[in-house]
Each structure stands twice: as C-alpha cells, then as structure tokens.
C-alpha cells in the first residue's frame, strides 16, 4: 500500500504493487545462488526499511481491525500500529471508521512491547498547522467557531485554539462581544507562531473585503430619485445613518417625517430595515442624502382645507412637557395644546397629571401656521365655557357671598365657583380706611359679602367690590363741607409736602405746605406733630378722586379780622372785577 509523506517528516513510501520487506526476505532465502553472507545483508536491509517509519511522522494507513478499545492500522511496518478507540468515537460514542478505510495518522511512540501507538488527533493538528501556514501565506480564509470571550477579544476554534482581538471582530467597534459566542464565521490568519501555539485571526478584513464588493455594486446602481432599502446603522439626534450596502447614507431628522421629530431614537432602532428615497448623491465624495417623508404626500399642502379653524378632531397624545401636550392628529402631523388651553378653570402642575401618552382625546383647531408647520390646539374649547355661564349667573351689581381663598398685598381672592376666584382690589376694600395690607382686616377662610363689579369672559377676570355694598360718603361731602367752611381735626400724618388732617372717621384732607402758614415754612414738622388738633378752611372737595384740600393759612387770616363771609366775598369780588375788566376790553374793541 502507498504511504503519504509529510513535508516535515522523513518517512519513505512503498510503491503500490511492489513486494513487502517480508516477501523480499523469503524470496532471498529460497534462492540457492545466494550464500550465508547475502542472507545477513538482506536482514539488515529489512531492519532498515522497518526503521524508516519514524516517530512523529504523518502518513496514511489502512484500518485492518476494530476492537472495543483500539483500532488496528497497517502503516507498512512489520506489525500493525493501533489507535486508542476514544480518538475515533463520535458524540454518540460510536467508532466512526470502518475496516478498509484509509486515514491519516501520526506515529506517536512504541509501547513496552514494541508496538506502534498511532494518533489521528495529533495528525489532524499537524495538518491544521499546515493549513494555517498556507492560509496566512496565501491570504485565504479559514472557518472557525467562537468558543468564549477572553481578555481583549474572543477565543475561536479553527481545529486548534486561536485568538480574535476585539478590534478585529467587526468593521466598527463592538461593545457586546458575548453575542458572538457560539457563532461560526470566516477569518483571515493575521499571524501565527507554531512553537508558542499562537494564532491571531481577523474577521474585520473579511468584512471589509465584502463591503468593498457591495460598495462597488451600490455605487454602480445608485441614483437620485431612486427608492432603496437599507439597514439603520447608527442613530443620532440629527438623523439616521443607513447602510445601503458598502456605503452609508444620511437620513436627516428634517426628512424623516412631515411632522416634527425631536428624538429619532424614540421611533427607530439599530438593525432595523428601512425603505428610503435618494434625495442627492455626490459620487466623488460618496455622500448620499436620503428621505423618508418623501415617500408619502405632504399633508401640509392640504392641511387648512382638511382641518378648518375651530373644527374639533380626534388625536393621540404623543408627548407631555411642562408647557403643554403634543397631539398627533394624523401620521406626521402634530399640534400643541398649551397649558393655558387645557382647562377653563383648573390649574395643573404638569399635563402628565391629567393626560398620558397614547391617550385619545378630542381637540379644537385654534390656528395653523403652514410656514413653521405648527398647529395650535385647544382642549378646553371642546367643553362649555364656565365664564359665559358665570356672567349670566352673576350680573354686575349683584351681591354674593364667598370664602376668602388668598390674601395678597394688592387685594383679596374670593372663591365664588369651583375653580373660579374673584378679586377685590385694594382700592375696592373701603371708602374711608387707608388699608396698608388686607391681612390687617381679613383672614383666609373667612366668609364675606361682596358686590359683582365686572366679569371679563375673554380675559377670564372676575372683579369684586367690598366698599360698593355701602353708600359712597364722598358723594355727600360737597354738601357737608362746602368751600369756605371751617373744620377742626387731628393731624394724622406729616409729609414733606404737607400734613393730613382727619375731618371725620376715615375722611382726611390735605393741607399743602404752602397752605400751612402765611410765613415761609421749610418743613411741616416745624409747626405740627401727629395728634395735634388744628382748624382749617375747606378750599375744595373732589369726590371722584376722593381728595379734600384744606388751608390753615386762610383760616389764620380769617381769624385775624376777616370773617369767612368776607373770605368768600373777596373770592366773588375778585371774580366780578375780572369779568368787568374783560367787558371793558370788549367795549373798547367795538368802539375802534
């Protein structure tokens, strides 16, 4: 039988059809022409031929016998060698060779009886190293299965353990290496060291070669306006990168939908297949701009006709923010319900307290801006306006009761209806009293009676009055304190411009600094103190602005010999003299 010779071993071959060493020895012993010395020479040749089967050599042998624990193989030696049966069993435990099969084996060693111990596993490993060497030199791929994740990369079984660095797993960096465990791929052999039993592989070079071939085909077929299919490779805030086959295209966020897309990652995922349209292609720079919304009609072209202002439509809540709710009224078209348009009277901290994503609601179209692609929606407009009902229920001038809900430095808020408060402004609390802060007179939770002054439906304002329940005392002051009358009162306040004098409870008049004395006064405090009783003449009463002008100077002048009647007569005489003078001027003009 013929023997296969490995390059690394010195093993002689027997040519098919030739006699064996034993047969040559027999023939030589029967030849009568040969002498005793010749027999010795043949014996030596026979022994030499047997010794040519060297330890560690790889050759091909023929299976001649199968036992339970070993398989006998003829390798052309004086006796057959044997392989331990465990090396030839499959996963089910069955020996996977038959008598007569030719198999590659390695001559491992001799046992104590001089029999050859053979190994198919070691022969296979030697062959694998030959394949590794060839693959590295000729740049041909080998097949392997990823066994486990190890430090810096992956361990791969290519018949012998090999190392795949993390940087060589894929074209782009890979975070999750565990997902490759158990998978089989093609690899290139980057380098090997047989002595150190070290092999370094690369899958990246295989992928780059495949991608280059794909890229060539893609560039040949791509063109503007063409609809293509790709795989989402990466997602950013400004768009998606689509792998079209060896070349990446950018689907910008503005070309994803006719509506607004703020976060593409909310709508797409890596590895997802997607159909897009080629918007532009720069062959030199290999840049491709893609569009998704261009595969459907632009809804904004007919939006105003489809959704008239004040029409009510059904929509789906797609996003909740501090300032409002985004509602999708059709795919790619969203509108905003501002928080101010959610409820007529109810105040909310955040829209998420009352609405949820994917909830369907009815909304009213308030405004459409095609240029900015914005739609203003209203939720409260789909229900009756309680302010309209309020105006009918509480006419101006009606007296109602309410509970004080809040007190501020500018007025009092009184609860009238559920969610509706009316405001009593500081100026409408009292006709007479000067109120520094409403909390001096009122408390939260207190029930009070007020008058409805005004209900502004458009601006949702409810004005109330407390002083209006009583009669305005200022309307009678003109009669009660005519000009020229004398009053006596107490100084309540001293200012740089004069003093305030209380005429009666809650009613004060001002004596300007120029009316304090007939002599020149630099400061009101020079003459008076708070609490002093003074007398003065009423110069003027203005009920509308609620102001009374007083004069101590005129009173002092009157008390020195001029009566009040003389004071008034003097005013009348001055007026008469002025009128007469004007009349004389007119006569002169006429005569001329």
């Amino acid at each position: 039988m013929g023997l296969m010779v490995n390059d690394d071993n010195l093993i002689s071959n027997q040519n098919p059809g030739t006699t064996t060493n034993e047969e040559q020895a027999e023939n030589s012993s029967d030849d009568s022409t040969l002498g005793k010395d010749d027999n010795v020479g043949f014996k030596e040749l026979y022994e030499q031929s047997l010794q040519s089967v060297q330890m560690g050599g790889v050759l091909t042998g023929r299976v001649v016998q199968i036992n339970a624990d070993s398989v006998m193989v003829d390798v052309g030696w004086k006796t057959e060698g044997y392989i331990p049966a465990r090396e030839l069993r499959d996963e089910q435990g069955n020996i996977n060779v038959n008598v007569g099969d030719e198999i590659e084996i390695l001559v491992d060693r001799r046992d104590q009886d001089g029999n050859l111990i053979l190994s198919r596993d070691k022969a296979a490993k030697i062959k694998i190293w030959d394949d590794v060497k060839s693959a590295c030199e000729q740049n041909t791929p080998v097949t392997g299965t990823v066994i486990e994740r190890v430090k810096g990369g992956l361990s791969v079984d290519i018949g012998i353990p090999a190392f795949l660095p993390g940087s060589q797993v894929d074209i782009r960096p890979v975070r999750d290496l565990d997902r490759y465990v158990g998978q089989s791929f093609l690899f290139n052999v980057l380098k090997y060291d047989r002595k150190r039993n070290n092999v370094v592989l690369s899958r990246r070079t295989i992928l780059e070669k495949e991608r280059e071939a794909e890229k060539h085909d893609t560039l040949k077929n791509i063109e503007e306006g063409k609809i293509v299919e790709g795989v989402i490779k990466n997602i950013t805030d400004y768009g998606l990168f689509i792998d079209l086959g060896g070349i990446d295209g950018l689907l910008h966020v503005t070309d994803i939908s006719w509506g607004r897309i703020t976060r593409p990652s909310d709508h797409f995922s890596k590895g997802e297949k997607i159909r897009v349209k080629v918007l532009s292609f720069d062959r030199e720079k290999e840049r491709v701009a893609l569009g998704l919304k261009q595969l459907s009609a632009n809804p904004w072209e007919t939006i105003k006709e489809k959704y008239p202002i004040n029409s009510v439509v059904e929509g789906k809540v797609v996003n909740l923010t501090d300032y409002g709710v985004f509602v999708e009224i059709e795919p790619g078209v969203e509108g905003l319900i501002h928080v101010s348009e959610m409820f007529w009277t109810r105040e909310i901290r955040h829209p998420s307290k009352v609405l949820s994503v994917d909830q369907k609601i009815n909304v009213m179209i308030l405004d459409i801006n095609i240029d900015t692609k914005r739609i203003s929606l209203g939720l409260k407009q789909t229900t009756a306006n309680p302010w309209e009902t309020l105006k009918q229920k509480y006419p101006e001038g009606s007296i109602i009761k309410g509970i004080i809900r809040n007190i501020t430095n500018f007025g009092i808020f009184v609860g009238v209806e559920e969610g509706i408060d009316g405001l009593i402004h500081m100026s409408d609390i009292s006709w007479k009293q000067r109120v520094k802060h409403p909390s001096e007179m009122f408390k939260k939770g207190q029930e009070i009676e007020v008058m409805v002054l005004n209900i502004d439906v458009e601006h949702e304002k409810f004005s109330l009055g407390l002083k209006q329940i009583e009669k305005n005392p200022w309307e009678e002051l003109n009669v009660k304190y005519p000009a020229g009358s004398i009053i006596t009162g107490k100084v309540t306040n001293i200012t740089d411009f004069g003093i305030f004098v209380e005429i009666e409870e809650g009613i004060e008049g001002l004596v300007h600094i120029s009316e304090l004395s007939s002599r020149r006064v630099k400061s009101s405090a020079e003459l008076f103190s708070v609490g002093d009783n003074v007398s003065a003449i009423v110069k003027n009463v203005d009920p509308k602005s609620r102001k009374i002008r007083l004069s101590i100077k005129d009173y002092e002048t009157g008390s020195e010999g001029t009566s009040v009647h003389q004071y008034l007569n003097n005013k009348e005489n001055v007026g008469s003299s002025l009128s007469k003078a004007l009349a004389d001027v007119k006569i002169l003009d006429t005569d001329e």
Side-chain angles (χ1 to χ4, degrees):
M1 64 178 288
L3 300 178
M4 301 299 294
V5 181
N6 186 279
D7 293 340
D8 298 331
N9 302 282
L10 300 174
I11 303 174
S12 59
N13 292 334
Q14 299 289 342
N15 294 324
T18 61
T19 59
T20 64
N21 294 332
E22 292 89 338
E23 290 171 341
Q24 291 176 6
E26 269 186 19
N27 293 338
S28 63
S29 64
D30 292 341
D31 194 343
S32 58
T33 61
L34 295 176
K36 186 177 180 181
D37 293 338
D38 293 329
N39 288 336
V40 174
F42 271 110
K43 187 177 180 181
E44 290 177 352
L45 289 172
Y46 173 66
E47 291 294 334
Q48 289 175 5
S49 69
L50 294 177
Q51 292 172 1
S52 66
V53 179
Q54 296 182 1
M55 297 300 123
V58 177
L59 48 84
T60 300
R62 181 169 56 87
V63 177
V64 294
Q65 186 179 341
I66 299 175
N67 302 317
D69 58 352
S70 64
V71 174
M72 307 301 295
V73 180
D74 179 11
V75 295
W77 205 48
K78 62 181 180 181
T79 61
E80 291 87 359
Y82 67 90
I83 304 174
R86 67 176 182 276
E87 288 193 15
L88 300 171
R89 294 188 188 278
D90 56 22
E91 293 179 356
Q92 286 74 36
N94 301 319
I95 295 177
N96 55 15
V97 296
N98 299 309
V99 174
D101 289 351
E102 289 188 349
I103 58 174
E104 285 191 342
I105 50 84
L106 176 137
V107 182
D108 193 10
R109 63 187 184 279
R110 291 182 186 180
D111 62 13
Q112 58 186 6
D113 298 325
N115 299 316
L116 292 178
I117 300 176
L118 310 175
S119 173
R120 191 166 77 162
D121 288 350
K122 292 181 179 180
K125 285 187 177 180
I126 289 176
K127 185 177 184 306
I128 289 170
W129 277 108
D130 291 341
D131 292 341
V132 168
K133 177 183 177 182
S134 175
C136 185
E137 291 174 351
Q138 299 178 25
N139 197 30
T140 55
V142 296
T143 302
T145 302
V146 178
I147 302 302
E148 61 179 342
R149 180 175 181 175
V150 295
K151 184 178 180 180
L154 297 168
S155 176
V156 181
D157 180 13
I158 59 171
I160 56 175
F163 177 62
L164 176 64
S167 61
Q168 297 297 320
V169 174
D170 207 329
I171 295 174
R172 293 181 179 274
V174 178
R175 292 182 180 178
D176 181 19
L177 292 175
D178 290 324
R179 64 189 176 94
Y180 291 93
V181 175
Q183 298 188 57
S184 296
F185 303 101
L186 288 175
F187 303 94
N188 278 335
V189 178
L190 293 184
K191 59 183 179 179
Y192 71 97
D193 187 333
R194 188 167 180 175
K195 290 181 180 179
R196 296 183 179 180
N197 202 34
N198 185 26
V199 181
V200 180
L201 305 176
S202 172
R203 178 171 173 261
R204 177 176 179 172
T205 54
I206 299 287
L207 296 176
E208 286 175 342
K209 189 174 181 181
E210 291 175 354
R211 186 170 177 81
E212 195 62 34
E214 282 184 338
K215 179 179 176 181
H216 180 267
D217 293 339
T218 302
L219 290 174
K220 192 165 60 175
N221 298 319
I222 199 169
E223 59 185 24
E224 290 184 12
K226 190 174 183 178
I227 296 174
V228 295
E229 187 176 74
V231 178
I232 297 175
K233 192 172 183 179
N234 195 21
I235 302 175
T236 68
D237 289 338
Y238 57 86
L240 312 176
F241 285 94
I242 313 295
D243 184 357
L244 303 175
I247 185 171
D248 293 345
L250 173 63
L251 174 58
H252 196 268
V253 65
T254 57
D255 289 309
I256 293 176
S257 171
W258 292 111
R260 287 191 304 162
I261 298 288
T262 52
R263 294 180 59 190
S265 57
D266 291 340
H267 305 271
F268 303 93
S269 56
K270 282 186 180 181
E272 181 182 344
K273 287 187 177 180
I274 186 171
R275 290 177 73 249
V276 287
K277 187 175 185 178
V278 178
L279 302 182
S280 64
F281 174 47
D282 187 330
R283 192 172 295 275
E284 290 182 4
K285 296 181 180 179
E286 297 180 358
R287 290 182 180 175
V288 186
L290 305 172
L292 179 61
K293 70 181 184 182
Q294 288 78 4
L295 298 180
S296 59
N298 184 354
W300 291 92
E301 293 178 353
T302 57
I303 196 101
K304 282 195 171 182
E305 292 77 12
K306 195 171 182 180
Y307 302 106
I309 302 299
N310 296 329
S311 62
V312 177
V313 297
E314 186 181 67
K316 182 177 73 174
V317 176
V318 292
N319 195 17
L320 300 166
T321 69
D322 293 339
Y323 54 86
V325 180
F326 285 94
V327 178
E328 183 183 65
I329 57 176
E330 70 172 61
V333 178
E334 296 177 7
L336 172 65
I337 307 174
H338 193 267
V339 285
S340 62
E341 303 295 346
M342 291 188 67
F343 299 101
W344 290 111
T345 58
R346 185 175 176 183
E347 291 184 5
I348 57 172
R349 293 182 179 178
H350 195 279
S352 60
K353 300 293 182 183
V354 290
L355 296 174
S356 58
V357 174
D358 293 332
Q359 182 179 346
K360 291 186 177 181
I361 56 174
N362 288 328
V363 291
M364 179 178 283
I365 308 294
L366 302 182
D367 184 55
I368 296 176
N369 189 323
I370 296 177
D371 295 333
T372 58
K373 293 183 174 59
R374 291 183 178 177
I375 301 177
S376 297
L377 303 174
L379 180 62
K380 69 183 183 182
Q381 288 80 359
T382 60
T383 59
N385 186 349
W387 288 91
E388 293 283 0
T389 308
L390 196 73
K391 189 160 189 175
Q392 296 175 6
K393 189 175 180 180
Y394 302 111
E396 291 182 13
S398 57
I399 307 296
I400 60 174
K401 288 183 178 182
I403 303 296
I404 296 176
R405 288 186 177 163
N406 196 19
I407 299 175
T408 70
N409 57 358
F410 58 85
I412 305 168
F413 285 95
V414 180
V416 181
E417 296 278 340
E418 181 65 34
I420 297 180
D421 294 345
L423 173 64
I424 305 173
H425 193 267
M426 283 278 289
S427 59
D428 291 312
I429 291 177
S430 175
W431 291 112
K432 298 179 179 180
Q433 286 180 280
R434 181 180 293 170
V435 182
K436 293 182 179 179
H437 198 282
S439 59
E440 297 174 359
M441 302 171 61
F442 303 96
K443 294 181 180 180
K444 285 178 71 173
Q446 180 182 342
E447 184 180 52
I448 58 174
E449 197 171 55
V450 292
M451 178 181 285
V452 177
L453 302 182
N454 181 45
I455 297 177
D456 187 341
V457 175
E458 184 179 351
H459 298 99
E460 299 178 2
K461 290 183 178 180
F462 194 176
S463 299
L464 303 173
L466 188 61
K467 71 182 184 182
Q468 286 81 359
I469 295 177
E470 301 174 353
K471 190 175 181 180
N472 186 354
W474 288 87
E475 294 175 355
E476 300 176 350
L477 289 179
N478 257 335
V479 178
K480 196 172 181 180
Y481 301 107
S485 58
I486 298 173
I487 60 94
T488 299
K490 188 179 291 184
V491 176
T492 58
N493 193 18
I494 297 176
T495 68
D496 292 337
F497 54 84
I499 64 173
F500 285 92
V501 178
E502 185 179 54
I503 299 172
E504 60 182 60
E505 186 181 357
I507 304 295
E508 293 179 344
L510 171 66
V511 182
H512 192 267
I513 192 168
S514 61
E515 299 291 338
L516 287 176
S517 176
S518 55
R519 58 190 177 85
R520 191 171 182 179
V521 179
K522 291 183 179 181
S523 172
S524 306
E526 292 178 12
L527 302 176
F528 303 99
S529 300
V530 173
D532 289 351
N533 286 317
V534 296
S535 296
I537 288 179
V538 177
K539 298 194 73 173
N540 175 260
V541 177
D542 186 351
K544 187 175 285 188
S545 61
R546 286 186 285 168
K547 290 181 180 179
I548 300 177
R549 289 173 55 220
L550 305 173
S551 175
I552 294 177
K553 180 177 71 174
D554 289 349
Y555 172 77
E556 289 175 346
T557 304
S559 65
E560 289 174 358
T562 306
S563 66
V564 173
H565 293 292
Q566 287 176 325
Y567 171 79
L568 293 174
N569 288 334
N570 286 341
K571 287 183 67 179
E572 290 175 2
N573 291 335
V574 170
S576 299
S577 300
L578 182 60
S579 299
K580 186 178 180 183
L582 290 172
D584 291 341
V585 171
K586 272 190 174 182
I587 293 169
L588 289 172
D589 288 341
T590 305
D591 291 342
E592 288 177 0

